[in-house]
Amino acid sequence: MTREGLRIDVVGLTKMFGAFKAVDDLSFSVQPGVVTGFLGPNGAGKTTTLRCLLGLLAPTAGSATIGGHRYRDLPDPIGTVGAALEASSFHPGRTARAHLEVMALGAGIDPRRAGEMLAQVGLTEVADKRVGGYSLGMRQRLGLAAALLGDPPVLILDEPANGLDPAGIAWLREFLRALAREGRTVLISSHVLSEVQRTVDEVVVLARGRLVRQGRLADLDSGPRDVLVRTPEPAKLRDALAAASLTVTEDGSGRLRVGGGTTERVGHAAYVAGVELHELVAEASHLERTFLELTEGDRTP
Amino acid sequence: MSTTSAAPLVRAEFKKISSTRLWWGLLVGAVVFSMIQAAVNAAFAGMDPGAGQPATPGLDTPEAIRSVYAMSMFSGTYIFALILGITGMTGEYRYQTITSTFLVSPRRSRVVVAKMLAHLVMGAFFGVVALAGTVLAGAVVIGVRGADLGFGAERLWPTMGLAVLAVAIWTLVGIGIGTLIRNQIVAILLAVFVTFLIEPILTFALAAIDLDWLVKWLPTNASSALMAPGNTLLDYLDWWVGGLVLLGYGLLLAGLGIALSVRRDVS
Ligand SMILES: Nc1ncnc2c1ncn2[C@@H]1O[C@H](COP(=O)(O)OP(=O)(O)O)[C@@H](O)[C@H]1O
Ligand SMILES: [Mg+2]
C-alpha cells in the first residue's frame, strides 16, 4: 500500500510571544517517504513551530504549509494531516474510544474506526476506561491513534517517544518507519536525540528558535571515531600503532585512545606486533556529542 | 461559511456532551431544584404572606397553575442550562481538547455555531425532563391540598413550551459567554454574578433614575416576557420580542467571542 505524502514547507517563520521571539526566521522543508526528526533542546521552539504549522498559532511572519496549503485551507484537515501534540489534551473524564469518536464524527469518519485505531496502538483493553487514569505512555499511544484516525498522508508528532519505555520506543520506531515506507511524510520532534536516533533518516536541528542544521542524520554523524583499546603491554602497543601511523593518547581510564583508524586497523597492528589485547572498541557515536555542541550555549538559561 | 453541512460538527458536539458526566449532574440539579420550586409554589399558592402583602393567586387561577408547572421549571433549570452552555465551551480550553477540536475543524467559527445548535437541543431536553419533574411534584402537592390538578388551565401548555424554549436559549447564552471568556471559573462566576446581582441592582437603579423603559430589555426580564404572553401587570416586551432579545444576547456574546477570543492563539 502506498500513501503519497506531501511536502511540508516552513518559510521565514517567526513567532513572537509579546517581546519574546520563540521562533526566529525559520526555514526548512520536510520530504515524504522518510522519517524526519525535528530536534532541539527544551524551549528551542519545536512545539511553537508545529502549532503554527497546524493553524493553532498565528505566525508573526512567514508561512508554514502542507502540500502548499495552510492547514486551515485544507479541505479534509485530519484526512490530510494527522497530528499529536503534547499528550495532555484529553478530557480526563472521557474514554479513549469516546475521544476518537468525537473526532471521527466531526470529520465525517465512520466512528467504528476508533476501535481499529486503538487496536493498532495496543489500547484495546483500556479503550473504555477514562483517560484520566492513563499513564503518559498510554496517552502517547492515544495521541498516535488520534493522528492516524483519518489515514493521513502526513503525520506530525510532537515528542512522541516521551514517556515510552524502551520497548515502546522500539515499537514506535518500526511503526513510524513502516508509515514512511508507504510513502507518507513523517515529522517527529524530540529533545532527546538518542530516543529517535535509530528512527529518523533526516534531521532538522533547532536551537533558540533558529535553524542550526538540516540534512541527513548520517551527515550529522560524519566525524571520525576514536578506537579505545586496553592491553597489559601499553608501551609495546604504542610503538606498534605509531609504526602504523595511528595517533595514540592516554584515555585516563587505563585505555589507549587511538585516532585515525578503525578497530580493524588497530587489531591488525596489535596482532602483527604480537601484543595481547583485553578490549578493543570503537568509541560511542559522536552524534549525541555533536547534537549537544550544536545546541549548547544556545540553550535558554 | 461554505455550503458544507454543519451536521458532522453538531454530532461531534453531542458526543462531547454525552461522553462525560457533567451533563448528568447538571440535569439532576435542574430536576431537583425545579421540583422543589414547584412543590413550594403549589404549597403556598393563594396564601396570604402577611405584612400587608397581597395574597398570591390561588390554585383555582390559571396564573397559579402556570406558575407551579411551567415557571417553576424555568426558575429551577435555567441556571444549570446556562452552566451547561458555559462549560460546553470553556471546558475545551480547560482540558485543552480545543486543540483536537480545532485540528478537526480549523474554521473555528463553525465550531461555535455547532456548539450553539447542539446546546440549544440539550437545553430543550433539560427543559422537558425538568418539566416532567415539576408536573409530578406540583400535581402531588396540589392533590394533597385537594385542589383541581389544573391540566386544562388556560394557556398552560403553550407556557410550558415557551419555558422549555427559554431554557434552551439560556443554554445558548452560556455558549456565548464561554466563547467570550475562556476561563471556566471566571465565566461561571461572572454569569451568576450578573444574573443574580447586577441585573436586579440595575433594574432597581434604572427605575430610580426614570429609565424604566430600559429594564424590560435586560436578559432576565426578556426571558420572563417570553414565558408570559399577554402579561399586563408588568411592563414586559411582547413574548416573541423577549425571546428574540434573549437569543440576541447569546448571538451577540458569541459574535464578540469569535471576534475577540476564538481567533486567538491556542497554546
Ligand atoms: N504561549 C506562550 N507564551 C509565551 N511564551 C511561550 C508560549 N509558548 C511557548 N513559549 C516560549 O517559547 C519558547 C519555545 O517553546 P516551545 O516551542 O514549547 O519549545 P520546545 O517545544 O522546543 O521545547 C519557550 O521559551 C517557551 O517558554
Ligand atoms: Mg515542546
Side-chain angles (χ1 to χ4, degrees):
Chain A
M1 183 193 134
T2 63
R3 197 84 172 84
E4 199 48 49
L6 301 165
R7 246 173 81 113
I8 296 172
D9 288 293
V10 172
V11 182
L13 185 72
T14 298
K15 178 64 187 178
M16 312 275 300
F17 292 113
F20 177 73
K21 214 174 237 181
V23 176
D24 187 0
D25 194 20
L26 178 66
S27 300
F28 64 89
S29 50
V30 179
Q31 303 296 333
V34 289
V35 180
T36 302
F38 190 34
L39 308 175
N42 269 324
K46 303 180 295 296
T47 301
T48 303
T49 303
L50 299 182
R51 284 190 171 264
C52 286
L53 188 54
L54 295 166
L56 298 166
L57 299 176
T60 307
S63 69
T65 55
I66 297 140
H69 299 283
R70 288 181 308 176
Y71 186 84
R72 93 170 85 121
D73 297 330
L74 294 171
D76 177 15
I78 71 165
T80 309
V81 182
L85 293 162
E86 277 138 317
S88 54
S89 347
F90 306 111
H91 194 299
R94 195 172 279 140
T95 66
R97 190 191 305 281
H99 177 81
L100 296 185
E101 283 173 354
V102 165
M103 293 181 72
L105 286 169
I109 296 167
D110 184 344
R112 276 172 302 190
R113 208 174 138 74
E116 291 167 30
M117 291 304 103
L118 290 168
Q120 209 168 28
V121 300
L123 286 179
T124 301
E125 276 177 29
V126 292
D128 296 306
K129 295 215 162 36
R130 293 175 203 286
V131 178
Y134 279 26
S135 68
L136 180 55
M138 290 156 85
R139 284 162 197 259
Q140 289 284 22
R141 286 168 186 265
L142 177 54
L144 189 59
L148 293 167
L149 195 60
D151 191 23
V154 179
L155 273 161
I156 297 176
L157 311 174
D158 194 14
E159 305 266 1
N162 199 6
L164 294 185
D165 52 23
I169 292 181
W171 168 83
L172 180 70
R173 172 182 311 136
E174 288 320 307
F175 199 83
L176 296 179
R177 295 200 67 83
L179 291 168
R181 267 199 304 276
E182 291 170 3
R184 296 180 216 245
T185 308
V186 181
L187 177 62
I188 62 173
S189 79
S190 178
H191 67 286
V192 185
L193 176 63
S194 58
E195 270 178 0
V196 297
Q197 195 169 333
R198 288 161 63 203
T199 309
V200 302
D201 311 288
E202 296 277 327
V203 289
V204 174
V205 183
L206 191 69
R208 258 195 196 173
R210 289 172 162 274
L211 182 70
V212 177
R213 173 96 49 112
Q214 163 158 34
R216 293 179 44 77
L217 179 73
D219 299 340
L220 195 66
D221 194 19
S222 58
R225 284 180 194 198
D226 287 349
V227 174
L228 299 174
V229 59
R230 196 157 57 83
T231 173
E233 307 162 287
K236 202 172 164 192
L237 182 62
R238 272 175 178 272
D239 291 344
L241 293 171
S245 59
L246 296 165
T247 61
V248 186
T249 51
E250 201 67 47
D251 176 56
S253 63
R255 294 185 295 192
L256 297 177
R257 173 185 289 273
V258 186
T262 58
T263 48
E264 288 85 349
R265 279 188 64 194
V266 174
H268 182 73
Y271 174 75
V272 169
V275 178
E276 178 180 347
L277 297 186
H278 290 172
E279 189 182 348
L280 174 64
V281 289
E283 194 184 31
S285 163
H286 280 203
L287 196 60
E288 191 71 40
R289 210 201 295 155
T290 312
F291 177 67
L292 287 175
E293 277 163 15
L294 282 175
T295 57
E296 226 164 47
D298 270 322
R299 204 173 292 224
T300 30
Chain B
M1 290 279 138
S2 90
T3 51
T4 317
S5 156
L9 288 179
V10 175
R11 258 180 245 131
E13 290 303 326
F14 281 128
K15 182 76 193 178
K16 281 180 197 170
I17 298 168
S18 66
S19 59
T20 63
R21 285 176 293 193
L22 180 70
W23 72 275
W24 179 239
L26 289 172
L27 180 60
V28 169
V31 170
V32 169
F33 268 59
S34 298
M35 289 176 78
I36 292 172
Q37 188 80 42
V40 168
N41 283 355
F44 292 102
M47 291 202 177
D48 188 342
Q53 300 273 342
T56 51
L59 286 174
D60 53 348
T61 64
E63 286 100 306
I65 293 296
R66 288 200 296 266
S67 158
V68 168
Y69 293 135
M71 309 305 188
S72 315
M73 186 286 282
F74 174 79
S75 51
T77 301
Y78 84 104
I79 199 74
F80 292 96
L82 182 64
I83 291 173
L84 180 77
I86 293 174
T87 52
M89 192 73 211
T90 55
E92 295 251 30
Y93 290 101
R94 179 168 175 198
Y95 299 111
Q96 294 168 35
T97 49
I98 196 71
T99 295
S100 66
T101 295
F102 286 163
L103 287 177
V104 169
S105 175
R107 312 252 174 99
R108 299 181 182 185
S109 51
R110 289 189 184 185
V111 172
V112 178
V113 172
K115 279 188 189 294
M116 289 198 289
L117 293 173
H119 282 79
L120 206 56
V121 174
M122 276 307 288
F125 171 69
F126 267 43
V128 170
V129 175
L131 205 52
T134 54
V135 168
L136 182 72
V140 166
V141 175
I142 293 173
V144 167
R145 287 185 66 184
D148 183 86
L149 293 185
F151 289 137
E154 189 194 346
R155 285 206 327 270
L156 174 62
W157 298 97
T159 305
M160 284 179 170
L162 291 172
V164 169
L165 182 63
V167 169
I169 300 178
W170 275 98
T171 319
L172 181 143
V173 171
I175 292 292
I177 294 169
T179 303
L180 189 57
I181 302 167
R182 286 184 181 188
N183 184 301
Q184 182 156 307
I185 304 297
V186 171
I188 291 175
L189 287 181
L190 209 65
V192 171
F193 187 69
V194 167
T195 32
F196 286 98
L197 199 66
I198 301 291
E199 267 206 84
I201 290 177
L202 210 57
T203 302
F204 183 78
L206 288 173
I209 56 171
D210 288 331
L211 286 172
D212 328 36
W213 60 271
L214 259 178
V215 170
K216 61 186 172 198
W217 297 91
L218 296 177
T220 305
N221 295 330
S223 86
S224 302
L226 171 60
M227 285 177 293
N231 185 314
T232 48
L233 292 174
L234 297 167
D235 181 26
Y236 280 156
L237 300 165
D238 281 337
W239 67 272
W240 60 273
V241 179
L244 288 179
V245 167
L246 190 59
L247 188 65
Y249 276 108
L251 296 178
L252 181 73
L253 288 165
L256 282 174
I258 288 172
L260 301 176
S261 168
V262 175
R263 290 191 201 292
R264 289 198 343 241
D265 284 350
V266 174
S267 60

